Structures are given as C-alpha cells and as structure tokens.
Amino acid sequence: MGLFGNRWVAVRTETGSRADVIDRLQALFKSHGIKSKITFEGSALKRIHVPKKETERARELIEAFDKER
C-alpha cells in the first residue's frame, strides 16, 4: 500500500523554484472543495495528491490554472 493507501493520486509534481506552484494549486483545490495533501521527497521535490474520485476535476482545474499563467 502507498503512502496514503490507494485512495490518493498524485496529480502534479514540481521541483526547485517551481515548487510554490503546488501551494497555489492546493489553495485552488480548497476553494473548489477538493481535498488535497502535499508530500515532500528530499529537499526539492514536492507533490500534490487528491482523492481518486476527484482526479478528473483536479486535472481540469490544473489545465485552467496552467492556461492562466
């Protein structure tokens, strides 16, 4: 079983100076009622996870987020 079991899916990974994107995505998800968790690997790798049932909705928000940037 993975870190959060099999209920959570990593939807975005960032490293280095782009790791702040993960925090902004978490705020976006929260504003849309999507739960999320952030994990760290080493000093630079940061991942955001959402529940499996919210994966599609989260990916749509990520696409919209990327278009705005």
Side-chain angles (χ1 to χ4, degrees):
M1 198 179 318
L3 185 60
F4 301 116
N6 59 1
R7 297 177 352 148
W8 295 86
V9 175
V11 291
R12 184 79 171 249
T13 302
E14 294 290 347
T15 60
S17 63
R18 293 184 43 89
D20 68 309
V21 169
I22 298 297
D23 297 324
R24 294 191 313 213
L25 282 172
Q26 187 175 41
L28 178 66
F29 292 163
K30 185 176 183 178
S31 72
H32 284 85
I34 298 175
K35 292 182 180 182
S36 62
K37 296 185 182 205
I38 294 177
T39 59
F40 302 90
E41 286 186 32
S43 62
L45 189 67
K46 201 172 191 182
R47 284 192 177 110
I48 188 163
H49 305 261
V50 296
K52 264 189 181 177
K53 63 183 179 180
E54 298 286 0
T55 304
E56 188 60 37
R57 204 165 140 218
R59 291 196 192 280
E60 290 170 3
L61 287 173
I62 289 172
E63 278 185 36
F65 176 81
D66 287 341
K67 285 181 183 176
E68 289 179 12
R69 293 183 335 139

